[in-house]
Amino acid sequence: MWAEIENKNKDCVFNGSYAGRDLYDNKVYNNITVYLESERNFVVTEKTNIKPVSYFVGREEELQDLRQIIEKGYKAVLVSGMGGIGKTHICRKLFEEYYVKHKKGEDEPFDHIGYIEYNNDMDSSLMECLQYKEQNNPELNKEAAWKELNDLASGGKLLLFVDNVDKSMSEDVSLQRLETIPGAIILTSRYTSFSDQFELYPVGFLDIEQCKQIYTKIRFGSSEKTLSTEEIQELEYVILKLAGRHTITVEFLAHLAKTKSWSVKKLRKELEEKGFRLAFHKNGNIVNIQESYEKLYNLSNLTKAEQNIMEAFSIFPYIPLEAEICNQWLLSDAGASEDDDILMGLYEKGWLQFDMVQESYVLHPVFAQFIFDRCKPKEENHCGLIEGCQKSLEIPESGFALGCQKFIPFVTNASEKLIGDSNIQQAVCMSKIAYLLRYIAEYKKAEELYEKALRIRERVLGEEHPDTATSYNNLAGVYAREGEYKKAEELYEKALRISERVLGEEHPSTAASYNNLAGVYAREGEYKKAEELYEKALRISERVLGEEHPDTATSYNNLAGVYAREGEYKKAEELYEKALRIRERVLGEEHPDTAASYNNLAFVYDSEGEYKKAEELYEKALRIRERVLGEEHPSTAASYNNLAFVYDSEGEY
């Protein structure tokens, strides 16, 4: 394994020896660890507070049918129906019923229940939502999540909801793995079939009485106010003729009437004057919902700031976003402040959905599609949003990337829908997402994005531009991670030639290229070639950055790693000590890089048989990593591993 230090001048990396025992050592790599049964909760996903809407009515028949189907032991059920008619409401209600029964200690047929909000593909959705044990090797996390799911379902006592699947099994092959899960699975989608493994349960429109109940509950809340006979007749007309018994439309009209303090008669008058009317085919598909919703959109009289925020939500995936993040990303972008209460106002008007427990907002896909088509959001109107999204991908000093990982779908959507494919800003955004994906070992996804970014830079900037060289470096780094050293070597050499010609041999980015290429040589066992380039990079760092610079310390570290690989432990020890002294002075004793230096020096002592000195430094590195990075960080796991090997060498089994 080779440590990576980000080059602050460009987004390429220095590659050098990590030393210490490798996280990818076969003694660790072969086993995926999962939770013990005693460590598992009844709710096995992160979404523990999934609540149905407070005005949930009707659907008793659907709930009863689904209960019977899954409790009879059917493995999988597809709840199918058009967007906006309440599939999610039904699933959340059923989820809540089992959760409440468990909390009360009542008998129920499942040992575990979970709720997955599908986004983009099943692999990433599972990793985002399921509670599973993260591995020392991040590359194994996907398989660890699936293994945890299989273990949970092995006794046939798991109920899993997978909500809002918008791809077929041919489009997302990871969905096919659900067919092998023995527990009960309820999957919601607009698709009418997936495979023979999934029994179809179609969901239709609510009847008129249920629609009236929803409208009344939203319009009047907990008050005892009721509608007159005349108003009931007006409401029946609105629901049947104008809203077409479409659940989310009925909900929105109720919110609209409540916000405007309109009577039903006034609501009908406004809708008809605007020509609002949802029409349907006989098979239940909406024909002109976009055109009709545009008329509703005008009715709401949104301010410029409100429109800006709705545009932002229209480009987001259908995933709840924490209120705090909404404030950070959206309010400054819209020129508003938290005191304006814009987000809560949009919820009260019925545009946004708000989860009181999780304090998160989301926009229903039906609304999102027509707002996006109507407004056609432009990059220049959402610069603050793009900046906020991209900043969320920056890995913190602790190195804990899970907090960043959850924002990838938002940043991906923002870049795809706001920035043109041939825009340099798109290449920058793709590179930021790819860097995070590489960090969490999603190499194939990172490779795809780095390739796209490279094509944009080659086309717009040309092959001789320094930023194009950066793209060669980035893509080569992924190839090296995947073990494709020849492909990595070719691109690193290309990047180096550009840096030497355009920036000169004394530039820090050129030194980074020497480091990168040397790292590949070292991986291939060509230590002499690696040593030569590492020495060249070190001389540049010493002259340009100075001996006290952290990047110079990294160069000492890299060169020492080659010496250690060649068995020249005394030379390695000298350079590791030099790197350590710099890091202690410049970064401090509590910095993760300083801990890495303790680790590397300990490795040399360990290799020389000085186990007590190695043990002391490994323990020091471990204490820092536990305090600064936390017990769940891969580097902390490496320290546990390294220390264990020393104990093994000392016979302390």
Side-chain angles (χ1 to χ4, degrees), residues 6-195:
E6 186 178 0
N7 178 2
K8 304 301 180 183
N9 301 295
K10 298 291 175 187
D11 51 339
C12 53
V13 295
F14 293 97
N15 290 300
S17 61
Y18 181 91
R21 256 47 177 239
D22 198 332
L23 278 177
Y24 295 86
D25 191 297
N26 286 334
K27 294 180 181 177
V28 179
Y29 186 89
N30 288 337
N31 296 314
I32 292 178
T33 57
V34 296
Y35 289 119
L36 300 173
E37 182 59 32
S38 59
E39 297 177 304
R40 292 173 174 139
N41 302 313
F42 178 65
V43 178
V44 295
T45 50
E46 302 294 344
K47 309 296 182 182
T48 55
N49 292 310
I50 294 174
K51 294 292 238 178
V53 290
S54 58
Y55 46 84
F56 184 90
V57 298
R59 304 298 190 189
E60 284 78 12
E61 183 179 343
E62 288 90 343
L63 286 171
Q64 180 62 24
D65 287 346
L66 287 174
R67 278 191 218 100
Q68 291 178 353
I69 290 172
I70 61 177
E71 290 182 13
K72 282 180 179 177
Y74 285 89
K75 189 183 77 64
V77 177
L78 172 65
V79 180
S80 178
M82 65 181 298
I85 63 170
K87 299 185 297 297
T88 295
H89 290 346
I90 295 170
C91 287
R92 289 191 174 191
K93 186 67 175 177
L94 193 57
F95 179 93
E96 184 193 48
E97 286 184 6
Y98 286 113
Y99 180 69
V100 169
K101 287 180 70 175
H102 175 77
K103 292 285 283 186
K104 290 181 178 179
E106 299 176 8
D107 290 336
E108 34 78 26
F110 301 106
D111 292 337
H112 302 288
I113 61 173
Y115 203 104
I116 304 290
E117 291 174 332
Y118 183 87
N119 180 57
N120 193 48
D121 63 75
M122 192 60 211
D123 286 338
S124 58
S125 302
L126 190 66
M127 292 172 67
E128 172 72 20
C129 298
L130 186 69
Q131 296 171 359
Y132 68 96
K133 210 161 196 172
E134 286 195 59
Q135 307 301 294
N136 294 341
N137 173 1
E139 194 171 2
L140 295 178
N141 280 338
K142 181 177 73 175
E143 293 309 315
W146 279 105
K147 188 175 191 311
E148 177 68 19
L149 185 62
N150 271 288
D151 286 1
L152 285 165
S154 59
K157 295 287 189 176
L158 170 71
L159 171 59
L160 183 71
F161 294 86
V162 185
D163 193 19
N164 200 38
V165 177
D166 58 0
K167 291 184 179 177
S168 66
M169 285 191 170
S170 59
E171 293 173 307
D172 174 17
V173 293
S174 62
L175 278 169
Q176 296 174 15
R177 297 183 74 166
L178 289 177
E179 295 179 312
T180 66
I181 304 300
I185 299 173
I186 294 183
L187 183 151
T188 74
S189 177
R190 299 183 196 185
Y191 285 89
T192 56
S193 66
F194 272 81
S195 72

Side-chain angles (χ1 to χ4, degrees), residues 266-323:
K266 173 68 172 174
L267 174 64
R268 174 179 172 176
K269 181 173 181 283
E270 292 288 338
L271 293 175
E272 289 185 325
E273 284 182 355
K274 293 292 184 180
F276 176 81
R277 188 186 196 88
L278 294 187
F280 301 89
H281 285 306
K282 289 182 180 179
N283 63 6
N285 292 324
I286 295 180
V287 178
N288 66 344
I289 191 169
Q290 304 294 31
E291 178 185 340
S292 297
Y293 266 51
E294 285 184 27
K295 295 165 184 173
L296 261 185
Y297 188 70
N298 291 332
L299 275 176
S300 64
N301 292 323
L302 297 183
T303 65
K304 186 176 180 181
E306 288 174 326
Q307 178 173 324
N308 182 284
I309 288 173
M310 293 304 294
E311 285 183 5
F313 273 104
S314 77
I315 66 175
F316 286 162
Y318 188 44
I319 303 173
L321 187 63
E322 297 97 323

Side-chain angles (χ1 to χ4, degrees), residues 61 80 100 113 161 175 215 357 367 400 418 450 473 476 504:
E61 183 179 343
S80 178
V100 169
I113 61 173
F161 294 86
L175 278 169
Y215 181 92
V357 177
F367 285 161
F400 188 69
L418 288 177
Y450 274 144
N473 266 315

Side-chain angles (χ1 to χ4, degrees), residues 404-424:
C404 309
Q405 186 178 349
K406 65 184 178 182
F407 297 125
I408 289 177
F410 295 93
V411 183
T412 301
N413 277 30
S415 66
E416 288 178 352
K417 294 186 176 181
L418 288 177
I419 307 171
D421 283 342
S422 54
N423 192 315
I424 289 300

